[in-house]
Each structure stands twice: as C-alpha cells, then as structure tokens.
Amino acid sequence: MKTKLSLIFFILCSIGRLAYGQSDTYPLASTKISPFPDEAVVLKPSRVKQREALNTAYLLSLDPDRLLHNFRVNAGLPSTAKPLSGWEAPGVGLRGHFTGHYLSAVAMLAERDKDTAAMRRLSYMVNELYKCQQAFGNGYLSAFPEKDFDTLEQKYGGVWAPYYTLHKIMQGLLDVYVRTGNRKAYMMVNDMAAYVDRRMSKLSPEAIDKMLYTPEANPSNEAGGMNDVLYKLYEVSHNSRHLALARVFDRDWFLKPLANNQDILSGLHANTHIVLVNGFAQRYIITGDTLYQHAAQNFWDLLTAHHAYANGSSSGPRPNVVTPTSLTSEHWGVPDHLSNTMTKEIAESCVSHNTQKLTAMLFSWSGDAKYADAYMNTFYNSTMAIQNAQNGTVVYHLPLGSPQTKKFLQNDDFRCCNGSSVEAFAALNSGIYYHNDSTLWVNLYIPSRLNWKARSLVLEQSGNFPADPAAEFTFKEVKKARLTVKLLIPDWSKKFEVYINDQKQTVNAAPGSYLSLQREWKTNDKIRLVFHYDFYLKPMPDDENVFAIFYGPLMLAAETDSEFILKGHRDDILKNITAAGGNAFRLRNEEKTFVLRPLSDISQQSYGVYATIRNY
C-alpha cells in the first residue's frame, strides 16, 4: 500500500511540475539535413573504435557513490564514499560538474549499445540525485551550497562559476531523459529550471546584466551553456517559461555584434563564449530567428578564418594579460596574429569539442561541404590527438609549437577537459552520416554500420582511413532503392577515384565539395573511394614562414626535443619528405633529419607541429 501511495504521489508531482509555466508550441526552424540517432550508427573495429573502447572502460570504472558523495554531503545526507580529488574535491567551486558530463556520456552508451549495465548506473544515479534534490525541497540540486548563487548575485563574482556547473548537471539529466526515457530525470531538470527562474525573477535587469557580463579574463561568473540547455529543454517541454529563461542567458552585448559580423573575440575567454554561440544556434533551430542564425554563422567564420590553428583548434594567450592563466591559455587573441601564441597551453580541448558541436549544427542547416571539411580536420587532428591511445587519458591543452609534450591529465583530475572528453569519445560515431528523405551524406570515413530504419537500408563502411587512403561501402540491405549518396571530397583531395561494383566511374568533383552518386542501389552493391594523398603546408596567417605540414587529412608532428627550425625555401621542404614505414615519414633538411608522425599518434614523445624557416 505504501508503495502504491508513493507511486501516486510521484505521478501527481510529475504532473504538477510539467504544468509549471504555460505550455505552448513554437514552430521549429526547418533543417535541411539531419544526423542519425546514435543507435543507428555503430563503429566497427578500427583505431577509432579502440579510442571509444578506452573511454567506455574509463566511464564504467568510476564509482557512482564517489560521484554522488559531494551531492549527498551538500544535501545533508549520509555518505561513506571516499571523496573525489582534483576539481571534484570537497571545497572546490566546480565540484559536481563532472557528474553532469558523466550522465551525458553514459546516456550515450545506454542508448547506442542498449547497455544494461549503463542503464542500471543511470537509474541508480538519478534515484540518488533525486533524494538530494528532495532534501533541499526547492528544486535545487548541486554539489556546492546555494549560498554560492547568493554571492554571485551580490558581488557578480567571487565564486567559481556556479551556473557553469549547474548547466552540466541539467544537461546530464536532460540527456538521460532524451536518450533513455527516464521520467524522473526529466522531472528533476524541470525543477532545476524552475529554481533558476525563481532566482532570476527576483533580480533587476541591471543586476542580471552585471552578473552575466563576461569580457574579463577567466571570468568567475562564467555561465556555461545555460542558454543551450534551456533551449534544448524547451524543445522537449514546449514550456514558454523555458524559452524566456533561456533568452535571459543569451546576452545581447555578445549576440548583436556577432550578428552584425563584428569580430569581438579578441581578449574573450574562449570556452565561456563558444557555448553561448551553441545556444544561439539552438534558438535559431527552435524559432527561425535569423538574428541568431547570423550570429552563429558569423562567429564560426570569424573563428575559423582568423583565430584558429591549422587543425581547427583555438584559444591561447590573452592580448591583455591580467591573470596567470591569461598569460598562456584559454583566450582568443588579435585576429590573424597566431605565430606568437605558441605557448604550451594553447588549444583547450573543451573549446575544440564545442567547436565541433557548432560545426555539426551549421552543416545541418546548409549541407555546405566547408563545415564537413572543417569537422573532419578537427576530428583527426584535434579530437583524436587529445587522447593517449595507450591508456585513454586526455590533455587539457594541445600545444602545437616546439619543443612540446602532451601533458595528459590524471583520471582523477576531473578538470573541465576530462568532462568534455568523456562526452567527445562517447560520441565518436556521430558526424559520420547525415540524411534527408532522398539523400545520404558521408562526412567521415570510419569503419561503421548504418541502420537507416526509415528506408530499410543497412550500409557498412570498411577500410583503414586515414592510414590507408580508401574507404569501401557495402549495401547489406536495400528496399527503398533510389538514393543519392554524397561522398565528401575534402579540400586536400586533388585527385581521387571511385568504383561501383569494381567498375571505375567517370566522375568529377572539386576539392571541398561532394561527389554525388545517384542510382537504384541493390543489396551487395559496393562503392570504393580511393584518395591520393599529397604533402602540403598550412602557414600561419601572419607569417608564411611558420607552417604546419600535412599529409592528406593528417597534421604531422616532428619528433624533436629542440625547436623545429628548417632552412631553405618552403616549396623545397616537401620535396625532401620520404616514407619511413607505417605512418612515419622522414624529413631531411640540410644536416638534420626529422621523423614525422600524425599528431594523433604522438603520446610521450617531445614534438613540434609548426615549423619555422630561418635562413640566417
């Protein structure tokens, strides 16, 4: 009887919470192209699959009770678990943030793999976090005390980014609901949104402006992606209060200059602001508001053209140095001035991860190959390069100067980049395929199996790209046969061949575009795409004698414990590179010989990516 009464009470509470605010619908902005759900794409054995497996093993090695410890203590509930360390240690302002990332990443495993162990973990975590939220009694849920928000509202700083952490927890719970259908997680994130709404409703517009104004170095009032998660919550709830609350976090001082194509990035903390742009993109998807569309597209163009390194990563020293961190890392600098930024702490992993999220959304709006090209570059030369292929540890920063080493974080550091990385490596199967009703786009060449249920189509991709310059596709099942297959021809590909059922095709596609193949496909039909790799240079925008060396899709790093300095003419550099076996090459330059490897293969070696020509 007690159990039945508890269930009735839970249902009534759920109805009450879902009724919070007025429910409405807002016409969604149409997207031309859609990604597939995660369970539709499964990675086959490959180097990418190995990286996914390392991440999965790490996630499943974590003790849920240790992740819950600070939440329980904060709620006045007992806990006998050993506290976590690093940025999750008791007393650290961001404690609780990694638990949010963990919920998001494990929800991906549960949805994609139908992993029962992952489902049990999520159910346990949500049930225990629910107890913590109920102990507060007002919708609040975090591992740090509510008074941190009081301090933020009174001093506009003085605490370490409470909304940043709250966003991670809300996003984690929302992901658990969307991916696994856990209704309790949905109720909890609704209660958290109501809590934030009540706090904001008590503040004047002037106080909110001051609290969310973040142009300074390393802003302690960093709000994370609160606008992003609230827009995503609105997409599920259709609750107008969620839409209005998300708009509070948008911040016109940042939005409107971007919409007018003004480059205001110099001096801004990179990861504080790129997540805001992801929120802008979400609002455009929901409302069709072109102000937000222009802001997101212009930001991406400005970032990639004027602030990003050759592998698509960004962030580094701040022009006006006022904090120890801003001396070396985490900020955007003067447009097109990158050659003097080669510290050991450039290219924060969180920034690269959030750039990929934005790039994927922009591709879905237009199908423009420039977004797919950029995504592939960053995937192989930043995402894959931040993880140690031997043990799955990751870096906070990915330095590209010389001589440098990758400083892999300990698994118990629990820094922001530990968190974004567990999500990134849980989502390696995303970004490969996109579709509309009549067309399939292939944006990445990764061994995988696509099950397109709506078309009763199963496609398998095989090969060893990018180590080998070929990918093969086999139609395992085909029922709705008429289909256009668009294969990305990246900007670096000056020559390629394509075969259908072993017959070479007469086709043409420019670099940085798509090869379109339209026909009635049959079961066991095969497509084979073969690229021809060349060596080429990508110079710094402000100094053509400082450059990175690429081979096809791969950024190469020189194994060196001294500066990567070369002599001669740039055109002659490439003529002196020869194969050295495996994925290695030799670069002979006067009396020196350098071994070059893909940056993603570098682990413990001292290395340099950007070389400098000095002829004196």
Side-chain angles (χ1 to χ4, degrees), residues 305-326:
H306 305 292
H307 296 274
Y309 300 106
N311 63 344
S313 66
S314 69
S315 78
R318 190 173 190 260
N320 183 28
V321 176
V322 294
T323 66
T325 299
S326 66

Side-chain angles (χ1 to χ4, degrees), residues 86-214:
W87 286 10
E88 285 292 333
V92 175
L94 289 187
R95 61 192 182 277
H97 77 104
F98 184 85
T99 298
H101 287 294
Y102 176 87
L103 291 172
S104 294
V106 176
M108 294 181 208
L109 305 185
E111 179 189 33
R112 183 190 68 224
D113 302 334
K114 302 299 183 286
D115 188 319
T116 55
M119 286 291 289
R120 287 195 298 270
R121 280 177 177 242
L122 290 175
S123 180
Y124 177 73
M125 292 283 292
V126 169
N127 287 336
E128 295 303 305
L129 288 170
Y130 177 75
K131 294 176 185 177
C132 296
Q133 190 178 47
Q134 290 301 295
F136 280 104
N138 60 356
Y140 184 71
L141 176 64
S142 191
F144 57 82
E146 287 185 85
K147 64 180 178 62
D148 283 12
F149 285 101
D150 297 332
T151 301
L152 179 65
E153 291 169 358
Q154 294 163 10
K155 299 182 178 180
Y156 315 121
V159 286
W160 195 2
Y163 274 117
Y164 173 95
T165 298
L166 206 70
H167 156 244
K168 306 306 178 194
I169 300 165
M170 292 179 68
Q171 186 63 64
L173 290 169
L174 184 59
D175 285 339
V176 170
Y177 170 68
V178 170
R179 293 179 181 277
T180 73
N182 188 309
R183 295 288 298 180
K184 186 178 286 187
Y186 180 54
M187 181 180 70
M188 292 168 68
V189 73
N190 271 272
D191 282 354
M192 293 180 75
Y195 173 86
V196 174
D197 194 19
R198 288 193 299 272
R199 292 203 77 109
M200 287 294 185
S201 67
K202 296 175 182 177
L203 301 177
S204 68
E206 293 77 16
I208 293 174
D209 284 343
K210 292 177 180 179
M211 187 175 72
L212 298 180
Y213 187 54
T214 52

